[in-house]
Amino acid sequence: CLGTLAAILKETLKDALVARAGVLKKLLAPLDAVLEGFYSAILLHHFDSHHYTSPYSEAANNLISFIDLLEALLASRIELELPLRCQRILFLKVSYVLNVISSSIPYVIKKKLILLLKKCVLYKSREDAESGSLFLQTPSLCEDMLALSNVVLQVVNLTWLNQIPLSGKSSYFGSSEPAPGHDSQAGSDQTVLRALSLVVLKALEFKIHNSATEAEIK
């Protein structure tokens, strides 16, 4: 079901001939509360259980399908002037995603979620994209980005970043050992390192721009 819904959303966004906003509203509005409930139920799961030890398990596949759906919901947000709750949930309840990333789920899922967070911090509404402004103007997106920035900065201020592995296995075809003559630091996943750095920097930039007092900025 999750995979089907994600596929329909992606195809709708590709179709230039349909009134996308109307189609998306008709599709998502009846599912709005259901999808928010799914978000809480799925991401509050105990990911340290044996069901998630392999990225090929049914539980891991279901989680990957749900992340694909979250990505499609984020992409579809640009079509609606007033986004639905299910298109905002990733920003408003980002702590759930941060908890999953720091759990013991397979690295491939952590990476997928980190890259999704990167898409969140780079997201712009159509109005903001067209205006060319460096700062967000859309009220709902400002509210969402501030909620995301606050939570990201709170966890980073603690020890969250220390819990995120930068696995180099993908760089060495299944081995985390660096090739002979190569620096061991090269084993870290540069894509994840860049994405995490960008998420923190964008959260900091947005928070500073929207802080009322100098003390808050400091």
Side-chain angles (χ1 to χ4, degrees), residues 74 77 83 88 91 120 123-126 128 136-147 206:
L74 177 66
R77 176 176 176 149
R88 302 178 65 191
F91 295 85
C120 285
Y123 178 82
K124 281 189 174 182
S125 69
R126 183 164 283 145
D128 288 324
L136 302 178
Q137 310 294 327
T138 316
S140 64
L141 184 55
C142 283
E143 186 187 324
D144 292 358
M145 204 66 87
L146 191 57
F206 195 79

Side-chain angles (χ1 to χ4, degrees), residues 145-167:
M145 204 66 87
L146 191 57
L148 182 143
S149 299
N150 282 334
V151 175
V152 166
L153 293 175
Q154 278 168 19
V155 298
V156 167
N157 205 29
L158 300 170
T159 57
W160 184 79
L161 277 177
N162 299 343
Q163 299 168 50
I164 313 303
L166 294 173
S167 168

